[in-house]
Structure formats: C-alpha cells, structure tokens
Amino acid sequence: MDMNVFKGSDKYVVTKELMNAVNVSIALEKPLLIKGEPGTGKTMLAEAIADSLGKELIIWGIKSTTKAQEGLYVYDTVQRLYDSQFGEGNVADIKQYIKLGKLGEAFSSDEQVVLLIDEIDKADLEFPNDLLWELDKMEFYINETKETIRTKHRPIVIITSNAEKELPDAFLRRCIFHYIEFPNREKMEEIIKVHFGDIDRKLSEKALEAFYEIREMDDLQKKPSTSELLDWIQALMISGVDIRDIKSELPFVGVLLKKNQDIDVMNEIKEKGYSLKRW
C-alpha cells in the first residue's frame, strides 16, 4: 500500500482540489507549482504535507540574488586557499570543500523528503530554466570532484510563487499547477477554528465582517491576508477588547494593514465616525 497519500492535516485546512493536486504530483513524480497571493498558506502547505506524511521538510528560500547553482552545491575556494597557505587540512581532498545546497541535501537524503522551493518568482528569469535538468533527471554533476549526485529517493517537490512574474513555459510544462484562491468567508471560518478552537463566536463574526469589508476597499495598497487576520484575531483575544467596538474602532489596525496610506485611510474612517460599509 502506498503511504504517500496526502489527506490534509489537523493544522491546515485543505480543499479537495488542492488535496488532489498534491496527490497527483506525488503519483506522477512531478513538482507541484503553487500560486496565489501572499498569505494564502502556500508555504504552510509544504509543512502540512511533510507533517502528514511523516517526512523531513527541506526549505530553499529564494531571494532576488539566488542562483540555481547555490541549490546544488558550493565549492569553498576561499577556505581551501586559506588551508593551503597555513598548512591546515588536506587541501588535496577537494571533496571536503564541497558543501551541498538544499537541492543537493534533498537528493542525497537516505529517506524521501519534502523539498520546498519557496517564492521562485523572486529570482531572475533564468533561474527556473537553470533547474530544468536537475528537476527532470533528479541528478547533478560536481565538476571539482567528477562526481554525479543522484537521488536516493525522489523528493516530493513543492514550488511556490506569488505570481510577481511569469515563469518560463518549459518550466511550467514540467510541473503540476494549482492556484490557491483567497478563502471565502465559510472557508476562513474553518481556518479560524483550526487555529482558535475556543474563540468566542461573536468575536469571530465581527472580526470577519470587518476583515472582508476592508478587503473590498478598492484604494488599499495592500489588502490584509489570512495570516494577518489570524494575528489580528489573536491580538483581539489577548486584549479582551469589547466585541462591539471591533468594527467601529478597528483596534490594532497595524496588525492588519502594513502600509502608511492604508492605515491613514482607516484612521480617517474612525475619526469621522463612519462604519466601514458607509465609507
């Protein structure tokens, strides 16, 4: 019986469509590319898969300066030069100066792991193409040691993107794709219950009303996300704020909104005594 079947987890609310996408990618041994706006739980999905399947999670966080080579291995020429000058170590053994990157760690693991390549769209346009061979063949060559690193157990690969830029077609063809829609109110209630099982029902209702009304405002620079809603609810619970004041006062608005202009808009609403709907 195949144990690699993802059925969700107690800490992550998953739709049937997303669960199917995960299991198809596992069965076909193809990377799963997850897109969606920030805060929709893309990174947490990889954590949930690893937890559900009892596997180690290796995270390769991508930055604008990240190069594909860094995920494979790095040859520490500086350390080798230092050792040769000061007579430390066996400089003839080049292998000791090779450090595997996150992709290399996943390939060489003695057990199957979940590999998260997080926010791939932050890197330059050539980055995804530079990984095509490695993700297809699950191997790479180390020039300095004349050694080929092949996967002992093909990792479960999850790739996230905030859709900041388009990814190359050749890369997309090699992936299973799923877009995580922003949760509707019903789904958000499920998410809140997972995180705050004992939450006061009225507090949850008032917070959700305010949250979705704020997200409907067209002139916001950055709409609050799921993670910001959860932080806000936690702040409301800890403070013991009067539930009746949540929509009118918008306490701790800086937990929800992260742009000066957006906070100014909310402060203006409060100063004029308007409700969100009237505004």
Side-chain angles (χ1 to χ4, degrees):
M1 180 180 178
D2 186 1
M3 300 300 291
N4 282 346
V5 177
F6 177 60
K7 299 180 180 178
S9 73
D10 295 336
K11 299 180 181 179
Y12 189 87
V13 177
V14 61
T15 63
K16 182 179 180 182
E17 292 78 12
L18 177 54
M19 185 167 58
N20 288 340
V22 172
N23 288 319
V24 166
S25 74
I26 293 174
L28 297 182
E29 297 185 331
K30 289 180 175 288
L32 174 61
L33 174 61
I34 297 291
K35 282 190 178 183
E37 68 176 85
T40 48
K42 300 185 297 296
T43 300
M44 288 181 63
L45 171 64
E47 297 171 356
I49 294 171
D51 182 61
S52 173
L53 301 181
K55 299 184 183 298
E56 179 188 356
L57 173 63
I58 295 177
I59 301 176
W60 185 13
I62 306 303
K63 302 177 182 178
S64 60
T65 56
T66 303
K67 302 300 180 185
Q69 177 64 36
E70 297 170 19
L72 306 178
Y73 73 94
V74 175
Y75 172 40
D76 194 344
T77 55
V78 174
Q79 184 63 50
R80 190 179 183 216
L81 178 61
Y82 178 90
D83 289 348
S84 67
Q85 289 177 336
F86 294 95
E88 298 182 11
N90 179 15
V91 294
D93 182 11
I94 298 179
K95 193 170 184 178
Q96 67 177 316
Y97 301 102
I98 300 294
K99 182 180 179 181
L100 293 179
K102 297 299 183 181
L103 207 62
E105 289 178 23
F107 283 13
S108 59
S109 175
D110 290 329
E111 296 183 358
Q112 186 182 48
V113 302
V114 176
L115 171 65
L116 170 62
I117 303 177
D118 203 22
E119 299 189 332
I120 193 171
D121 53 325
K122 281 189 174 180
D124 63 45
L125 292 173
E126 289 305 313
F127 180 88
N129 282 335
D130 291 343
L131 290 177
L132 290 180
W133 171 269
E134 288 77 14
L135 291 177
D136 253 358
K137 304 300 181 181
M138 286 289 159
E139 66 179 44
F140 63 91
Y141 184 70
I142 300 179
N143 288 311
E144 290 77 7
T145 61
K146 311 302 181 187
E147 176 186 13
T148 298
I149 302 295
R150 294 186 176 88
T151 53
K152 298 178 181 178
H153 302 278
R154 192 179 186 97
I156 297 170
V157 182
I158 309 297
I159 303 171
T160 70
S161 169
N162 290 326
E164 292 182 4
K165 62 170 72 86
E166 288 299 320
L167 299 173
D169 288 346
F171 182 81
L172 294 175
R173 283 196 296 271
R174 288 163 169 82
C175 297
I176 304 298
F177 175 77
H178 184 82
Y179 185 87
I180 297 183
E181 299 284 351
F182 194 85
N184 59 25
R185 179 159 178 160
E186 181 181 358
K187 183 61 66 175
M188 193 67 82
E189 287 175 351
E190 289 184 48
I191 294 172
I192 291 172
K193 287 179 183 177
V194 166
H195 289 268
F196 310 105
D198 58 348
I199 188 173
D200 181 280
R201 182 177 60 82
K202 290 185 178 179
L203 186 151
S204 177
E205 288 177 355
K206 293 293 185 182
L208 279 172
E209 285 176 13
F211 175 74
Y212 278 102
E213 287 179 25
I214 290 172
R215 281 188 57 86
E216 288 174 6
M217 297 178 68
D218 294 330
D219 52 351
L220 289 185
Q221 289 188 349
K222 182 185 182 303
K223 295 182 179 182
S225 67
T226 304
S227 58
E228 286 151 350
L229 171 62
L230 296 176
D231 288 343
W232 189 48
I233 288 176
Q234 187 170 16
L236 294 173
M237 293 173 66
I238 292 172
S239 68
V241 67
D242 191 323
I243 293 173
R244 293 170 295 182
D245 296 336
I246 290 176
K247 286 186 66 176
S248 59
E249 296 297 326
L250 286 176
F252 318 115
V253 69
V255 179
L256 274 179
L257 303 175
K258 305 299 172 65
K259 297 281 188 178
N260 290 341
Q261 178 181 317
D262 297 341
I263 292 177
D264 289 343
V265 169
M266 289 300 132
N267 287 336
E268 188 176 349
I269 290 175
K270 290 194 289 183
E271 288 171 5
K272 292 184 176 180
Y274 293 163
S275 69
L276 288 171
K277 281 295 187 184
R278 283 180 60 192
W279 181 263

